[in-house]
Amino acid sequence: NVGLADTIFRVGCDLYRKLSPDDRLVTPLINASRNGLPYDMIAQVLAAALHFNATGADGKMFPGDIDFRLELENKGVESLLKSVCGFTDENEALMNALLSKIIKI
């Protein structure tokens, strides 16, 4: 949004917060799944967020996102979905759907 000076960096950075269980992607994803509503597009956005690594105008990544990338590399996607997004065994089918999308990206 040019009027708000939104950059891809500003919109996508701070992955620990934006992928937390109480924020913009995980809550609607889990609610849609629980209520039998389509969630494919939300899952696709969450899967894409796991690949986010943009830099700001200073050429640097958001500090927390560097840690996020390291956790993803060291612990793997499934671990991250549990520790950051709050997925549990109750969400196994949803996690499997996410994992299939992540592989395709």
Side-chain angles (χ1 to χ4, degrees):
N1 182 339
V2 177
L4 297 176
D6 271 354
T7 63
I8 291 172
F9 177 74
R10 193 203 70 76
V11 170
C13 76
D14 198 1
L15 292 167
Y16 279 116
R17 181 177 62 84
K18 292 182 178 166
L19 297 179
S20 71
D22 299 323
D23 214 289
R24 51 198 68 158
L25 290 174
V26 176
T27 297
L29 180 65
I30 289 174
N31 285 339
S33 175
R34 283 185 183 150
N35 291 298
L37 299 170
Y39 57 81
D40 189 60
M41 297 306 285
I42 304 169
Q44 193 168 344
V45 171
L46 195 150
L50 295 175
H51 295 278
F52 182 82
N53 64 357
T55 57
D58 61 0
K60 297 178 182 176
M61 287 181 69
F62 184 78
D65 291 350
I66 295 169
D67 295 337
F68 183 92
R69 297 247 55 86
L70 289 172
E71 183 175 348
L72 182 60
E73 289 173 22
N74 293 326
K75 296 183 179 177
V77 174
E78 190 170 344
S79 174
L80 192 127
L81 290 174
K82 290 178 180 179
S83 68
V84 174
C85 302
F87 287 100
T88 64
D89 291 339
E90 176 187 326
N91 311 111
E92 185 177 356
L94 185 54
M95 268 194 22
N96 289 336
L98 279 168
L99 291 170
S100 72
K101 296 210 174 298
I102 292 163
I103 291 167
K104 293 179 183 176
I105 290 178

